[in-house]
Amino acid sequence: MYKKPPTFEQGPIRPPNEARSLLLRLTRNCPWNQCLFCPVYKRDKFSLRTVDEIKQDILAAKQIADDIKALSFKLGYSGDINDAVISAIFNQPESSTQYRSIAAWLYYRTDACFLQDADNLIMKTKDLVAVLQFLKAQFPDIKRVTTYSRSRTVIRKSVDALKQIRQAGLDRVHIGLESGYDPLLKLMKKGVTGAQHIEAGKRLLAAGMEVSEYVMPGLGGQEMWRDHAIETAKVLNQINPHFIRLRSLRVPGHVPLHERLEDGSFTMQTDDMLAEEIGLFIKTLDGITSTVTSDHIMNLLEEVSGKLPADKEKMLSVIQSYQDLSETDRLVYRAGRRGGAYRSIDDLKRDPATYQKIRNLIQTVEQEEGPQGIERMITEMVDRYI
């Protein structure tokens, strides 16, 4: 069947927690593609893939997985995908990205699959069900299947249709909520309202799916930050999703929102302001049992994570600990975090040598370029992760 080495499409992004999942592309790019803050897909048109195309990709992925397991047997490891097998694959220059991706998936044994790109629930229900059923038939050991979608798309499907999709194998949906404040959603061309976010979340939950909602601290800028924090929390209080994932705003030059930065109609929150904003957001979350995560390097305070309501005070204490730092220590932490040296505030004390190196760097930049040079350095460090 395969006249040439099997291959299949993969999209450009996936959630950080899906880094070790099998990645399969069901649609290409984003059907909305207008959000001012989003750096992805802007020059690419959306397109649906046919069910047959997707099935061929799944078969290709299955063939690659079988080939890798056969290699394990050939090397004497009885199908186990261990360090030796991984090394053999990654040391072969001819190994494709897809081969390496599936090898890593088998190695980490996550038994998870993430379906790309931005909004797969836009597919016809019967088509998505057919793909999910075929995926499960080819990979019966997969235990979790997840995808991105938009609230506006979700509410176009009935709960019954969503239940069919759930029963076919889709376990979790990631929604880019970003904000629950309607004026801000309109400003950012999100194409959805807070009420629609609520309705979409409730429909997915009624269908038996896990719901992961993404929130973007900083999206309101200095102009709308308070309403953004409060109204977003209020929307989430009415949904009670399984996960609330924080993704702080970044505005590199190629993002449409950058024009508003340039003309002065949008003003970025500083890191200190963001800490206050996130604190207000966490305080306003009430009556829900969601898990809050801050699992991205763009977030200043990764430790703002926990299960509500039990961990609410712990999360607020992390923010307070940052705010209680001296101005110098906050600057060192910010630079260390953005540079990848720190994951928690406690790291400041654990490694005095690293602390001193970062402080010396800050002093050098300040002497040569002034305080603006320090901020520019930190911005450049974090924007590289976008």
Side-chain angles (χ1 to χ4, degrees):
M1 183 175 181
Y2 291 93
K3 297 181 180 180
K4 59 182 180 179
T7 187
F8 58 95
E9 281 196 37
Q10 291 183 315
I13 62 170
R14 43 79 186 148
N17 69 304
E18 302 288 353
R20 296 175 176 178
S21 299
L22 171 64
L23 303 178
L24 296 169
R25 196 178 203 180
L26 270 59
T27 58
R28 297 186 184 101
N29 310 312
C30 177
W32 177 250
N33 206 17
Q34 296 183 46
C35 301
L36 295 186
F37 54 83
C38 182
V40 190
Y41 309 121
K42 285 296 180 283
R43 296 181 180 179
D44 301 308
K45 291 184 178 180
F46 174 78
S47 64
L48 291 165
R49 303 188 70 203
T50 67
V51 172
D52 284 343
E53 281 181 320
I54 299 167
K55 285 183 176 181
Q56 288 303 311
D57 275 9
I58 293 170
L59 287 174
K62 178 65 164 56
Q63 179 65 49
I64 292 173
D66 289 344
D67 288 350
I68 292 170
K69 291 175 183 177
L71 175 62
S72 173
F73 276 103
K74 182 179 179 180
L75 295 174
Y77 298 113
S78 304
D80 183 38
I81 312 305
N82 55 24
D83 290 345
V85 176
I86 289 293
S87 179
I89 292 170
F90 278 74
N91 286 333
Q92 293 176 0
E94 65 273 19
S95 293
S96 67
T97 300
Q98 288 85 357
Y99 262 87
R100 295 182 179 192
S101 173
I102 289 189
W105 173 60
L106 294 171
Y107 176 79
Y108 288 115
R109 298 176 175 85
T110 63
D111 295 328
C113 177
F114 180 75
L115 307 175
Q116 300 170 295
D117 277 344
D119 189 7
N120 288 321
L121 287 177
I122 203 167
M123 293 175 64
K124 292 180 179 178
T125 298
K126 66 179 180 62
D127 289 347
L128 184 51
V129 166
V131 166
L132 289 165
Q133 289 173 338
F134 190 78
L135 174 64
K136 283 300 184 81
Q138 299 303 314
F139 291 98
D141 292 335
I142 287 179
K143 294 183 174 62
R144 189 186 78 218
V145 181
T146 64
T147 190
Y148 282 131
S149 192
R150 298 182 63 244
S151 292
R152 189 77 173 265
T153 300
V154 173
I155 61 175
R156 291 176 179 152
K157 289 194 182 292
S158 66
V159 172
D160 181 64
L162 293 170
K163 284 181 177 179
Q164 292 177 45
I165 294 167
R166 171 68 187 93
Q167 290 166 1
L170 186 64
D171 302 285
R172 180 185 299 171
V173 178
H174 295 269
I175 298 286
L177 185 139
E178 325 303 358
S179 179
Y181 184 46
D182 283 347
L184 180 57
L185 290 167
K186 183 177 181 180
L187 175 68
M188 293 297 164
K189 297 186 178 181
K190 182 66 183 171
V192 69
T193 66
Q196 289 171 326
H197 275 319
I198 294 167
E199 177 62 24
K202 287 183 174 180
R203 286 195 188 194
L204 290 171
L205 291 171
M209 297 187 196
E210 287 188 341
V211 177
S212 178
E213 301 276 6
Y214 288 78
V215 171
M216 190 167 283
L219 188 63
Q222 294 184 24
E223 296 80 12
M224 296 185 181
W225 74 269
R226 184 175 293 276
D227 288 324
H228 170 44
I230 292 172
E231 296 305 316
T232 302
K234 287 182 178 179
V235 164
L236 290 165
N237 289 343
Q238 295 186 64
I239 299 173
N240 192 16
H242 293 82
F243 301 95
I244 297 170
R245 301 185 186 276
L246 305 182
R247 294 287 182 275
S248 297
L249 174 72
R250 302 305 308 174
V251 190
H254 60 283
V255 172
L257 183 58
H258 194 267
E259 294 181 10
R260 293 180 180 268
L261 273 182
E262 292 290 297
D263 67 22
S265 61
F266 182 86
T267 312
M268 286 280 288
Q269 291 273 71
T270 66
D271 279 339
D272 288 359
M273 292 173 180
L274 268 181
E276 183 177 0
E277 176 185 323
I278 294 170
L280 177 60
F281 169 73
I282 297 293
K283 287 176 184 175
T284 311
L285 293 173
D286 184 55
I288 59 177
T289 56
S290 308
T291 295
V292 178
T293 66
S294 188
D295 55 347
H296 200 287
I297 190 63
M298 288 190 295
N299 295 333
L300 182 67
L301 301 172
E302 186 176 341
E303 296 167 286
V304 180
S305 299
K307 184 81 160 60
L308 294 169
D311 295 328
K312 185 172 185 176
E313 292 306 316
K314 184 196 77 171
M315 289 187 278
L316 292 173
S317 71
V318 170
I319 296 168
Q320 189 63 55
S321 294
Y322 170 78
Q323 293 173 325
D324 288 343
L325 293 174
S326 67
E327 184 176 348
T328 297
D329 283 357
R330 286 202 305 277
L331 199 54
V332 170
Y333 175 74
R334 290 173 59 212
R337 170 66 178 164
R338 302 317 193 184
Y342 294 148
R343 295 193 64 180
S344 73
I345 295 169
D346 290 340
D347 290 342
L348 284 169
K349 300 176 182 178
R350 291 193 181 110
D351 190 349
T354 298
Y355 177 93
Q356 195 57 51
K357 285 180 182 178
I358 296 172
R359 186 167 181 179
N360 291 342
L361 173 63
I362 289 171
Q363 289 173 342
T364 299
V365 173
E366 185 173 26
Q367 289 170 0
E368 295 177 355
E369 304 179 38
Q372 290 183 341
I374 298 171
E375 293 302 324
R376 185 163 50 249
M377 175 187 73
I378 293 174
T379 296
E380 289 173 355
M381 285 193 292
V382 68
D383 283 352
R384 66 182 174 169
Y385 295 107
I386 298 175

